[in-house]
């Protein structure tokens, strides 16, 4: 009888150990899958946001060039405003998905973008006034923060 109890306890311990090991492995697998899923979404959002900033910058410069050549800048300004509306929406997703460093960098990019928008809307602003806004520098800081958040090594 004692050997049967010892055998039963051994089977129960083995089953419990097997269950706990399988549960831990499944939990780790689930976490890896969720991390991968969110990292993919994060990367897509980062790319869309930065692309939108670049569209705003390109349209603003186009408006500045048009003014310098005494041409109509309304088409470029309309494109710039459309991209700004999209940027505003993308920013919300950016902040929800990013870490604190990337979100802070994105806030700085927003500030420079708003400076660029204000200057581009000013009828007297040409390309030199628009180039004076340090948007590229703040984008470089954002790129670095995004790479860090996504654990993308450089080199």
């Amino acid at each position: 009888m004692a050997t049967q109890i010892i055998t039963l306890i051994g089977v129960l311990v083995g089953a419990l150990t097997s269950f706990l090991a399988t549960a831990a492995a499944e939990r780790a697998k689930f976490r890896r899958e969720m991390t991968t899923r969110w990292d993919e979404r994060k990367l897509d959002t980062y790319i869309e946001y930065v692309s939108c900033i670049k569209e705003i910058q390109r349209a603003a410069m186009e408006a500045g060039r048009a003014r310098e050549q005494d041409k109509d800048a309304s088409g470029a300004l309309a494109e710039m405003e459309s991209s700004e509306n999209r940027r505003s929406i993308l920013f919300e997703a950016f902040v929800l998905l990013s870490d604190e460093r990337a979100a802070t960098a994105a806030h700085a990019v927003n500030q420079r973008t708003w400076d660029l928008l204000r200057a581009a809307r000013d009828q007297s602003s040409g390309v030199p006034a628009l180039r004076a806004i340090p948007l590229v520098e703040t984008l470089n800081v954002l790129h670095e923060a995004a790479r860090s958040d996504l654990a993308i090594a450089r080199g």
Side-chain angles (χ1 to χ4, degrees):
M1 176 90 160
T3 55
Q4 289 177 339
I5 291 175
I6 292 173
T7 303
L8 184 58
I9 290 173
V11 168
L12 289 174
V13 168
L16 182 60
T17 303
S18 176
F19 171 77
L20 292 175
T22 302
E26 286 297 317
R27 199 169 27 253
K29 179 182 172 187
F30 177 76
R31 285 188 190 134
R32 277 192 310 274
E33 287 173 356
M34 288 295 101
T35 298
T36 299
R37 184 176 113 195
W38 285 112
D39 280 352
E40 288 172 2
R41 176 77 172 118
K42 221 187 269 195
L43 177 61
D44 292 343
T45 300
Y46 289 3
I47 289 170
E48 279 186 76
Y49 176 78
V50 170
S51 296
C52 193
I53 296 294
K54 296 301 279 182
E55 289 171 12
I56 291 169
Q57 183 182 35
R58 185 192 49 73
M61 296 305 237
E62 189 177 313
R65 277 190 295 279
R67 284 194 195 107
E68 287 176 351
Q69 298 169 1
D70 289 326
K71 294 182 179 176
D72 183 24
S74 61
L77 291 172
E79 186 179 334
M80 183 184 75
E81 296 299 338
S82 174
S83 294
E84 165 55 14
N85 290 335
R86 220 172 92 242
R87 184 219 49 86
S88 177
I89 294 166
L90 288 170
F91 177 71
E92 297 305 321
F94 190 106
V95 170
L96 285 171
L97 294 171
S98 68
D99 68 4
E100 187 174 338
R101 184 173 166 221
T104 300
H107 280 288
V109 168
N110 283 347
Q111 289 298 319
R112 295 299 74 77
T113 302
W114 293 330
D115 294 343
L116 182 68
L117 289 164
R118 264 190 300 281
R121 289 174 185 136
D122 181 353
Q123 296 300 317
S124 64
S125 293
V127 172
L130 299 172
R131 280 200 177 124
I133 298 166
L135 180 57
V136 172
E137 290 84 354
T138 55
L139 274 173
N140 289 340
V141 172
L142 176 61
H143 292 152
E144 183 181 319
R147 278 191 303 274
S148 174
D149 185 24
L150 293 166
I152 298 171
R154 271 211 83 164

